[in-house]
Amino acid sequence: MNPQQKEDIRQRYLRVDTSNVADVLDERGLLDQGLAPEFAPYPASAGRLAGWAYTIRGQMTQYPLGGDADKMAACQGLSPGEVSVWSGDGEGICYFGELIAIGMKERGCVGALVDGGVRDVRWIAGQDYPVYARYRTPVQSIGRWKVNGCQVAVSLRGATSKFVTVNPGDFILADEDGAIVIPAVHVEPVLLAAEGLTEKERLIRVELESGLSLARALEKFGHV
C-alpha cells in the first residue's frame, strides 16, 4: 500500500465512529480490541485520533538525569500518518510532554496513544495534536522510566480483556467513546463495513427526523 492509499484510508476512518468499528470487529470475531475506558483525550477538546500504529515500549529504570537518548531515537523513526503508541509499566510517570509532541508532529505523526501519563496538556492543546492517554501527571520520566524498544508488539490495557496487543502497522481510532485497535490485516474490510453501517445510521436519523417512529425505522432498516 503506497503512502497516498494509506492516507486515504486514514481520512476515511476519521469519518466513522469507534462504536461502529467495534460492532464490525465483533461481527468478525474480534471481540477484545477496545482499550480501557481510562483512555481519554488530553485536552478534552483534542478531537479524533486516527492513524497507523508506531509502537514505543519502556520500563521503570533508575538512571542519571540528563535525558533519554533512546526515547529521542525512537521518535525519529515516526512517519507521516502514524500514531505513536506508548506502552510500559511507568505508573504515575509522564511518558512525554509538549516538546516531544512538537517533534513528533514535525515528522508528520498525527497523534499519540499513551498507556501511561502525559503532561504539558495546556501547551499540547495549542499544537492541534490529539493525544489520548490513561492519565496526566507532572512527574517526568527522566531518571525513572526509559524507552527500551520501538516498532515491536506491545500490550495496552484493554476494555474487555486485561491487555490488547498492538503491532506496528495496526490502525488506531479514538473518539468521544474511547479508543480501539484494528489489526492490520482487517483494516480495509472493517473500514468498508463501518462506512456501510455509518450510512445506514444516517438514513435512520433522517427517517426519525421526518417523524418515523423508532420501531418502524428498525423494521425498515434492521438492527444497528
Side-chain angles (χ1 to χ4, degrees), residues 67-143:
D68 183 350
D70 291 328
K71 178 190 289 186
M72 301 308 294
C75 292
Q76 291 301 307
L78 284 158
S79 299
E82 291 181 329
V83 169
S84 61
V85 178
W86 298 72
S87 69
D89 60 353
E91 287 301 322
I93 304 300
C94 162
Y95 290 4
F96 76 89
E98 176 197 13
L99 296 182
I100 291 182
I102 291 173
M104 290 189 291
K105 182 180 177 182
E106 287 176 347
R107 300 193 66 81
C109 177
V110 293
L113 177 68
V114 187
D115 193 356
V118 295
R119 69 178 189 178
D120 303 331
V121 174
R122 175 162 57 105
W123 303 109
I124 290 174
Q127 295 300 320
D128 189 26
Y129 183 81
V131 174
Y132 280 68
R134 280 199 301 111
Y135 57 84
R136 81 283 183 275
T137 174
V139 180
Q140 70 172 342
S141 64
I142 302 300

Side-chain angles (χ1 to χ4, degrees), residues 14-26:
L14 282 167
R15 296 191 287 271
V16 300
D17 295 336
T18 55
S19 57
N20 286 342
V21 169
D23 290 354
V24 172
L25 289 169
D26 278 355

Side-chain angles (χ1 to χ4, degrees), residues 7 9-22 40-52 81-83 109-113 127-133 171-180 182 191 194-195 198 201 205:
E7 179 60 16
I9 286 173
R10 194 183 76 83
Q11 290 295 328
R12 287 164 60 191
Y13 262 107
L14 282 167
R15 296 191 287 271
V16 300
D17 295 336
T18 55
S19 57
N20 286 342
V21 169
Y42 289 93
S45 60
R48 291 174 172 243
L49 172 66
W52 307 87
E82 291 181 329
V83 169
C109 177
V110 293
L113 177 68
Q127 295 300 320
D128 189 26
Y129 183 81
V131 174
Y132 280 68
F171 200 88
I172 304 298
L173 184 65
D175 59 19
E176 300 87 344
D177 290 332
I180 199 160
I182 303 97
L191 175 58
E195 288 175 327
T198 298
E201 290 186 345
R205 292 187 184 102

